[in-house]
Amino acid sequence: MKYVDEYRDAKLARGYARALARAVTRPWTVMEVCGGQTHAIVKYGVDKLLPGEIELVHGPGCPVCVTPIEWIDAAVEIASLRDVIFCTFGDMLRVPGARGDLFSAKAGGGDIRVVYSPMDALQAARANPEKQTVFFAVGFETTAPANAMAVYQAKREGLKNFSMLVSHALVPPAMESILSSPANRVQGFLAAGHVCTVMGYTEYEPVARKYRVPVVVTGFEPTDILQGIYMCVKQLEEGRHEVENQYSRSVRREGNAEAQKLVRAVFRPIRRNWRGVGEIPESGLGLTEEYEAFDALRRFAVVPQVREGPSECVSGEILQGLKKPGECPAFGVRCTPERPLGATMVSSEGACSAYYRYRGARHEP
Amino acid sequence: MCLAVPGKILSIEGQDPLLRSGKVSFGGTLKNVFLAYVPEARVGDYVLVHVGFAISVLVPEEADRIFRYLAEIEEGDFLQGEEAS
Ligand code: SF4
């Protein structure tokens, strides 16, 4: 497939691996922010091509993983109501809340439908005027334009039976939260190419300057990631800390202006909780006043109750680059993709699940 | 979850710019894709598609930068090696 196959070329990958080996003189820790990149790194063994000096740690960039437990509980509560059609992306079904997951709510009789796009949920609302259709809007900046469009169209059409449970997260505040932690080990970032396709990368420029960290906007295929690491390590070796764009075939500095316009009309930044990580100011999206009638929590008068109990799961530390999956005592023993204890095991883009799938239960850490 | 897949636009329909959509081929598999966020897109362009929406038009001139970049650094490293020896 064009724009895919050429970026999976083994010769090109080895070329970058050799260039990296020549460029590196000291140990460096680099974080890939996005779960899609984590998945590709572990699947294609990108980390195994790197010289020993470079350690990759996996970031918080899986929106499924960081959806707070209380939001899963709210989803289960709403999805179990009579005359509700609850639409969600498939990866949310098995995410454990404090009181079960959406999969069991479906088995219990909830009308829960897996959709490919928020527009499919909108279509379900149009087709079933006697019922309430709710869409579980989970995602980062990449997904926000699609979700914004669904709400925008619902208002334009005057649909009274469509609403959204919004659990949107924003990447730059999470990166700042990692960088400002005293335990931080991350020296350079690969920023998520799809997030930047929508938002551009001007937001990262002050972050790179303030924390003196290089940020390289990077794509998702194995050689994209290797080139991104090379560009990042080159900056580290030369003492630079700039924002560079590896993924220029899709990302422009200012991003996608049309998409940003609609996102800004429908959503506004709010404080939010990241599962395992905690609250981060201005790191989520809520509906603006003009669209708040489409908020499912309001419509069904559901109040999410925070209750993160004690657990042996260390996914919070994994999401902040402080630990790797192999360091969790439950990994592969009490926690597997079939019976996940924590969110990084649930989604195929979570670091625990990626290691389990491609490296097995007993991989070398 | 944030997966976005490149595909080629085969046809475009819709007058309302917000409802513009098109048939996009992903290695032979056809899907209907919303094009509201890529007003500049034309038939024959490759777009990056996420949850049913095109979020960018891929730039052909940038697509092989990954090869040129490697060739440049290899040449640079080679020259440096020459100087050192
Ligand atoms: S292996 Fe399971 S329990 Fe351990 S950190 Fe990962 S998700 Fe949590």
Side-chain angles (χ1 to χ4, degrees), chain A residues 313-315 318 328 330-331 335 341-342 344-345 352:
Chain A
C313 174
V314 295
S315 59
I318 293 177
C328 172
F331 178 86
C335 180
L341 282 182
T344 40
M345 188 57 101
C352 294

Side-chain angles (χ1 to χ4, degrees), chain A residues 89-133:
Chain A
F89 294 130
D91 359 18
M92 296 310 294
L93 282 184
R94 283 196 181 275
V95 182
R99 293 176 299 176
D101 56 21
L102 285 168
F103 196 77
S104 5
K106 187 174 163 72
D111 187 353
I112 298 173
R113 304 183 186 179
V114 170
V115 294
Y116 159 69
S117 167
M119 299 303 268
D120 299 338
L122 195 66
Q123 193 47 41
R126 293 187 190 113
N128 298 278
E130 74 296 350
K131 293 192 174 179
Q132 285 287 331
T133 296

